[in-house]
Amino acid sequence: MESFTPLTAVIGGSLIGLATAVLWLGNGRIAGISGIFGQLLPPAQTVVWRLVFLVAMVGSTFVVAKLFPQVGMGGSVPAALVEAPDGWGIATPVWLVIAGLLTGIGTKIGNGCTSGHGVCGLARLSRRSLVAVLVFFGVAMVTVAVTGVV
C-alpha cells in the first residue's frame, strides 16, 4: 500500500463510476459482476451484453497493465497476482481457487458482490448494501491480519 497515489485512485474510481452509469443508463442493468457472470451459466437470454461487458472489463485491465506497468504496484514493480502466504504450505494456484470459491459462495449468500453493493448499492443509498459492504471490509481486514498478505 506504500504506492498509493491519489491521482490514479481518482482516475480509476471515476472510470468505474462512468462504466457503471453507462451500463445502467444504456442497458438498465446494475454493474454487479457476480450477477452478470452468474447469468452466463446456464445462458440467459441476455448473454451477449454480459459477455461483451466481461470481456471488455478483463481486456481493458490487461491492456492498461501492459501499457502502464508502473501504475500497477507503484514505481518499477509491474502489476502481478498475489502470492500465497509463506509458511502456509499452499500453492498459489490452489490459494487463488480457494479464494475464488469463497468469494463466489459469499456473493451468492450476500445476494451480490462488492461492485454491486459497494458501487451501485451505496450510490442508491441501500441499507442492505451498506451492511454488506461493512461485512466485506470487516472480513477483508481480518483476512489481512491473519494472512499478512496485503
Side-chain angles (χ1 to χ4, degrees):
M1 198 55 150
E2 60 275 345
S3 63
F4 173 73
T5 58
L7 180 61
T8 57
V10 167
I11 292 170
S14 298
L15 290 173
I16 291 170
L18 178 63
T20 299
V22 167
L23 183 63
W24 182 57
L25 293 172
N27 204 12
R29 301 291 185 156
I30 298 292
I33 306 308
S34 63
I36 292 171
F37 183 77
Q39 292 297 313
L40 289 176
L41 297 172
Q45 294 175 337
T46 57
V47 73
V48 174
W49 77 262
R50 293 171 193 280
L51 281 174
V52 169
F53 184 85
L54 292 170
V55 167
M57 182 179 65
V58 172
S60 63
T61 303
F62 178 79
V63 168
V64 169
K66 292 300 179 190
L67 290 176
F68 305 103
Q70 69 280 4
V71 175
M73 300 299 288
S76 61
V77 180
L81 290 175
V82 67
E83 295 290 326
D86 293 333
W88 282 53
I90 300 174
T92 297
V94 174
W95 181 262
L96 293 173
V97 167
I98 292 169
L101 289 172
L102 289 172
T103 302
I105 293 166
T107 58
K108 188 67 173 171
I109 292 170
N111 222 6
C113 60
T114 52
S115 57
H117 284 299
V119 176
C120 302
L122 291 180
R124 293 186 347 242
L125 303 177
S126 166
R127 281 183 274 171
R128 184 178 80 157
S129 290
L130 176 61
V131 170
V133 169
L134 292 173
V135 171
F136 295 156
F137 278 95
V139 170
M141 287 188 281
V142 169
T143 303
V144 167
V146 168
T147 65
V149 177
V150 178

